[in-house]
Amino acid sequence: MGKEFNDRQWGQALVAQRTVSFDDDPYREWSFGGKARSYDRHTDQLVVHRSDLDLCTATDLQWALRQAQEEGGPERVNVASVDEQYMGVEGITVEPVEFQLDGGALTVAFTFVDEFPEAEQDGDVGRFTEALQPLLSKHRATLLAIDGDDYSGAHRIWNVCLGFKLRGRKLAAMFQAGLDMCDLMDALAGGELTRETAGHLVRAGHADVLIGQPEGQWLEAKSQHYDFSTLRGEISLAQAVSRFCNSEDGGIVVIGMSTKKTPAGEHIRQLNPMPATAGIVLKYQRILENRLFPLVRDLQIDAVAAGPGSEIVLVDIPPQPEELKPFLVSGAIVDGKVDGAFISIVRRRGEGSVPTTAQEIHSTLVAGRALLRGGHFPQVHP
């Protein structure tokens, strides 16, 4: 008969199977997915690398922090995205999102700064809470707390705490949820807008944040729906989306906002919500499926309520894989004339678009054929 394990041996065997653990002294070495990380008791920091999060489960981190807490160990974990060689160096920059043990439960927390706040704090709480709802739903998270503290009369520091159902969750997914919501709050508080945060704000009913923004590399606005009763309208929509598909960063098209021309270019002037139309999202999807090739990956189209009986339509185009480009539009508008038999390829440049040249198309075709030939390029004679 094999030797029976005692309680200590069973405990050691269970710990060895966990993705997060520490040795007998929580002040010393921790293990995240087999990678050693150290806890600095003087700075009260346990810093892990962002790549560690893909290897570890939320339930294992919660278990380890609970065990360490009994021995006076850390109650929070910071995340760094620096080069691996700098891990362990004192004073490295960490991300604004961290993991915390709150009442024995693993949570995700972050802070953001509202500069020169104009509204009362209670009103801001409602505004921020409302804006978070779509992302909370997307990431299956719960808003546990949000509160703000005034600082020097010109800033307000906001603290946000998020809860999750941990079973089956990797730390990477929870951390990304925290980053998404932190970016959204920064943008709503007057920070820099990106395609992602602008899309989140529009979905949350805060499209007014885009007022004053210039049309550009990732943003285009249109005051009314495309005229889908005409070939021109269908091709115009497909070309607007394909411009962002063929760019590096993707983009968003917001239908229901008017623009004005300034010396610096087109800027969004005001909201111009349209009457709510049943089935409008499906109509946009079908036209793009018929007019744009290949299919756009992870394309998201939303009809967002903008008041009683009115809405704004958001077309969100994430960056597309290079191997799918160029995206082709079935139909073209040349010198103001529409031809449904042509194929057009357009790209975004600033607030305008540029056509793909014959030379660029030919180079792409040659490269593709070369791959089929095993990497041998055909001779091209002048």
Side-chain angles (χ1 to χ4, degrees):
M1 294 178 63
K3 183 179 178 181
E4 293 186 0
F5 280 2
N6 58 34
D7 290 343
R8 179 177 177 82
Q9 288 173 318
W10 273 116
Q12 291 174 338
L14 289 173
V15 168
Q17 295 175 3
R18 294 187 181 274
T19 58
V20 181
S21 61
F22 59 91
D23 58 22
D24 291 340
D25 184 352
Y27 291 130
R28 295 207 301 266
E29 189 171 280
W30 284 63
S31 174
F32 284 78
K35 295 182 180 180
R37 303 298 179 200
S38 297
Y39 170 57
D40 187 337
R41 64 185 302 174
H42 300 292
T43 61
D44 192 31
Q45 270 199 324
L46 171 57
V47 182
V48 302
H49 196 268
R50 187 165 178 176
S51 62
D52 299 348
L53 306 181
D54 295 317
L55 308 173
C56 303
T57 65
T59 51
D60 282 354
L61 178 58
Q62 178 176 263
W63 171 86
L65 288 176
R66 284 175 176 175
Q67 299 300 310
Q69 188 179 41
E70 294 178 1
E71 303 178 39
E75 295 183 7
R76 67 187 66 224
V77 178
N78 294 108
V79 181
S81 299
V82 299
D83 192 284
E84 180 71 36
Q85 65 179 315
Y86 298 112
M87 291 298 295
V89 176
E90 186 175 345
I92 62 172
T93 301
V94 296
E95 299 283 357
V97 176
E98 64 183 22
F99 296 95
Q100 292 184 358
L101 199 63
D102 187 356
L106 182 67
T107 65
V108 170
F110 64 86
T111 62
F112 67 96
V113 179
D114 189 3
E115 296 190 8
F116 306 106
E118 298 178 358
E120 292 295 325
Q121 179 171 324
D122 290 344
D124 281 343
V125 170
R127 181 166 64 105
F128 291 139
T129 301
E130 179 186 15
L132 283 170
Q133 294 309 310
L135 279 178
L136 289 169
S137 177
K138 173 184 176 182
H139 291 292
R140 293 178 291 126
T142 303
L143 180 61
L144 299 179
I146 178 170
D147 59 81
D149 297 317
D150 287 330
Y151 175 72
S152 73
H155 301 77
R156 184 172 294 145
I157 310 293
W158 289 90
N159 305 293
V160 180
C161 186
L162 307 172
F164 297 82
K165 291 183 178 180
L166 303 187
R167 186 173 297 277
R169 290 277 185 113
K170 287 289 182 68
L171 294 180
M174 293 172 60
F175 181 74
Q176 186 60 54
L179 280 182
D180 286 349
M181 295 188 217
C182 184
D183 289 344
L184 176 62
M185 293 295 96
D186 279 337
L188 192 57
E192 182 180 358
L193 280 174
T194 64
R195 176 193 67 82
E196 295 90 341
T197 55
H200 294 326
L201 287 168
V202 172
R203 293 185 194 95
H206 292 280
D208 57 298
V209 173
L210 298 180
I211 294 175
Q213 290 292 319
E215 286 191 321
Q217 201 65 30
W218 57 265
L219 174 62
E220 180 171 329
K222 186 174 174 60
S223 60
Q224 297 291 330
H225 285 302
Y226 294 87
D227 185 359
F228 295 146
S229 65
T230 67
L231 187 59
R232 177 186 293 272
E234 292 188 4
I235 295 174
S236 295
L237 169 62
Q239 287 188 336
V241 173
S242 72
R243 292 185 191 106
F244 291 126
C245 291
N246 289 324
S247 69
E248 292 184 2
D249 304 319
I252 61 174
V253 182
V254 186
I255 301 98
M257 302 193 78
S258 60
T259 63
K260 64 178 178 181
K261 196 169 187 63
T262 71
E266 293 283 341
H267 284 67
I268 295 179
R269 180 179 61 182
Q270 63 183 19
L271 294 174
N272 189 47
M274 301 156 297
T277 305
I280 192 64
V281 170
L282 183 59
K283 184 171 290 188
Y284 271 79
Q285 290 173 338
R286 286 178 175 172
I287 289 173
L288 290 174
E289 289 171 359
N290 292 332
R291 289 284 169 191
L292 191 57
F293 181 84
L295 292 176
V296 185
R297 288 201 182 170
D298 300 320
L299 175 70
Q300 187 171 352
I301 304 175
D302 297 283
V304 182
S310 62
E311 65 187 7
I312 290 173
V313 172
L314 172 69
V315 183
D316 190 346
I317 307 104
Q320 298 297 300
E322 287 297 319
E323 60 268 21
L324 295 182
K325 300 175 183 178
F327 282 74
L328 312 178
V329 176
S330 177
I333 302 175
V334 182
D335 295 331
K337 297 181 179 180
V338 178
D339 194 316
F342 283 11
I343 298 294
S344 56
I345 307 174
V346 289
R347 296 169 298 169
R348 191 79 177 176
R349 178 177 293 174
E351 65 181 72
S353 60
V354 293
T356 302
T357 65
Q359 291 89 339
E360 290 173 317
I361 297 173
H362 182 261
S363 296
T364 302
L365 293 174
V366 168
R369 294 185 69 180
L371 289 176
L372 293 176
R373 290 169 174 261
H376 300 292
F377 285 82
Q379 294 291 326
V380 179
H381 300 285

